[in-house]
Every structure is written in C-alpha cells, then in structure tokens.
Amino acid sequence: VQLSEETDALMQRIDRELREEVEPKRKLIQAEKMVADEKAQAAQAIKEDCERDLSKAMPKLNAAINALNTLTTNDIVLLRSMQNPPEAIKLVMEAVCVINQWTPPKVGQGKDPYWELSKQRLSDYRKFMSDLKSFNRDEIPLNVINKLRGKYIANPSFNPNRVAKASSAAKGICLWILAMDDYDKIAKVVAPKRAKLKEAQGEYQELMDNLKIKEDELQR
C-alpha cells in the first residue's frame, strides 16, 4: 500500500511538473518558432526583391560579357598596335583604366599616359580579359563612378557604334563599361535592401540559435 501511495505521489508530481513547467516551455518554443518563421519569410521577400531589381541589369551585363567573349587575340593585337588611335578609342581605353583604378605610368613628353598604360595591360591579353570578367561590380567607389560618368560616358564619342568603326575590341570594352554603369545604378538602389536583408537574416539566425538552446534544455 505504501509503495502504491508513493507511486501515485510521484506520478502526481511528474504530472504537475509537466503542466507547470514543461508545457509552458513547449508553448513558448512553439510561439517563438512562429516568430522565426515570420522572420524567415520576411528575409526571403527582401531577397527576392533584391534579385528582381538586379535582374534588370543582367541583360546588358550578359550582352557585354558575350561581346568580350567574341573578341579574339587578333582583335586585341590590332588594338594594341595602334600608334595614334582615334579619340574614341583613347576615351574607351582611358575609361577602362579609370574604372579598374589602374594608375598610369610617367611618360615622356608627347605621349599619352593612359594609352601607354592601356598597351601594357593589353600585352597580357588573358589577364586583361580575366580582370574585366571578374571585376567587382558591386563595390565601385563613388569617386570612380562619378568620374566615369562625367568625363567619359557623357562624351558623345563614347558610343559603341562610333567606337566599332575603329576597333571591334574597343567596342566590346565600351559595352562592358556601359554595362558596369547600368549595374552600379541599380546596385545603389539595392544596397539599402541588402542591408535590411542582412539584418533580417541575423535576427532569424539569433532566434534559431535561442530556440536550439531551449529545445535542448527541454529534452534533458
């Protein structure tokens, strides 16, 4: 009889603990899971919004990369061999040096420092093309993009069709620069959204980490 009474008392204590301690914790975890799910959905919505915006720049960007891919070694050799290139080509090559932040060398009187730099860069055709294709378009400094737009892109000579008359290689580079400009405009709009996305993802991760701790405690 005594053993039965002790067993009943133990069962009652366990039942009380379940009702008073475990069940409230379980309900709290469920509520926090719902909050975490809402955070995940909010982060996903921001991510999709960013992707929609950036997708607007992709057609020109892909076209520019395709234009670069069509260039041959002979195209580059021909461009590099020009002793006195047309103004449109000088403009494009100076612009590509500026956007990549390549510093021109000191040159003798009568020589164009940016054209000398361009020839140096073009001498290693594979590296030059690799630099353009792997260019970090998400972090173009403001002073660089402002100079690019004010001094080069705004110039009527900075026109792919006009440049093409002198060099197919320069035309491809011109298209690439214009695509970087378009991408930067959209990226500046997307930047605050990316910041919100990072914040939302951080909040979600923090919630999930806390939930994991509480779930582990509940299992003990």
Side-chain angles (χ1 to χ4, degrees):
V1 175
Q2 184 180 357
L3 181 60
S4 177
E5 289 176 352
E6 289 176 354
T7 301
D8 287 344
L10 177 61
M11 294 302 295
Q12 288 175 12
R13 182 169 63 81
I14 292 172
D15 184 60
R16 186 174 62 254
E17 287 178 354
L18 285 171
R19 283 185 286 104
E20 295 178 359
E21 297 181 24
V22 177
E23 194 57 32
K25 286 181 180 179
R26 185 177 287 115
K27 287 181 179 179
L28 179 62
I29 288 172
Q30 289 300 321
E32 290 186 1
K33 278 184 177 179
M34 291 178 65
V35 173
D37 286 343
E38 290 175 0
K39 291 286 185 184
Q41 290 172 17
Q44 183 62 28
I46 297 170
K47 183 181 179 183
E48 289 173 359
D49 190 26
C50 290
E51 289 172 348
R52 274 194 301 273
D53 283 344
L54 289 174
S55 69
K56 296 172 186 175
M58 296 314 293
K60 275 192 178 181
L61 187 62
N62 289 334
I65 296 299
N66 289 337
L68 291 178
N69 287 335
T70 63
L71 300 183
T72 66
T73 305
N74 287 338
D75 293 328
I76 297 296
V77 169
L78 184 62
L79 175 61
R80 184 175 178 271
S81 65
M82 293 182 180
Q83 295 302 313
N84 188 26
E87 192 60 33
I89 288 183
K90 283 186 177 181
L91 199 67
V92 168
M93 295 311 298
E94 185 171 331
V96 81
C97 292
V98 167
I99 195 172
N100 282 282
Q101 300 182 74
W102 296 333
T103 305
K106 293 181 179 179
V107 295
Q109 190 174 3
K111 287 190 175 182
D112 184 332
Y114 275 107
W115 180 242
E116 295 303 312
L117 174 60
S118 297
K119 288 192 292 183
Q120 288 176 15
R121 291 286 173 170
L122 291 170
S123 64
D124 190 340
Y125 165 70
R126 293 185 185 279
K127 186 175 188 314
F128 178 80
M129 298 298 285
S130 175
D131 286 343
L132 299 195
K133 291 177 183 179
S134 63
F135 181 76
N136 185 1
R137 57 182 179 267
D138 287 306
E139 296 183 11
I140 305 175
L142 185 60
N143 65 312
V144 170
I145 201 69
N146 285 343
K147 182 176 181 180
L148 195 73
R149 288 170 184 159
K151 185 176 180 181
Y152 305 101
I153 295 175
N155 191 314
S157 295
F158 200 89
N159 179 292
N161 294 328
R162 186 176 295 185
V163 174
K165 294 175 182 178
S167 166
S168 59
K171 177 190 175 182
I173 296 166
C174 182
L175 286 169
W176 179 84
I177 293 168
L178 291 172
M180 293 304 107
D181 175 48
D182 280 348
Y183 184 90
D184 181 79
K185 289 172 184 174
I186 294 172
K188 292 292 192 293
V189 174
V190 173
K193 296 179 183 180
R194 278 180 165 168
K196 285 184 180 179
L197 174 60
K198 187 176 181 181
E199 182 181 351
Q201 289 173 330
E203 289 174 355
Y204 170 73
Q205 190 58 52
E206 185 177 353
L207 278 170
M208 294 306 294
D209 290 343
N210 288 333
L211 273 172
K212 180 70 167 57
I213 292 170
K214 289 176 182 177
E215 286 177 332
D216 289 345
E217 288 175 349
L218 198 61
Q219 297 300 320
R220 290 172 188 168

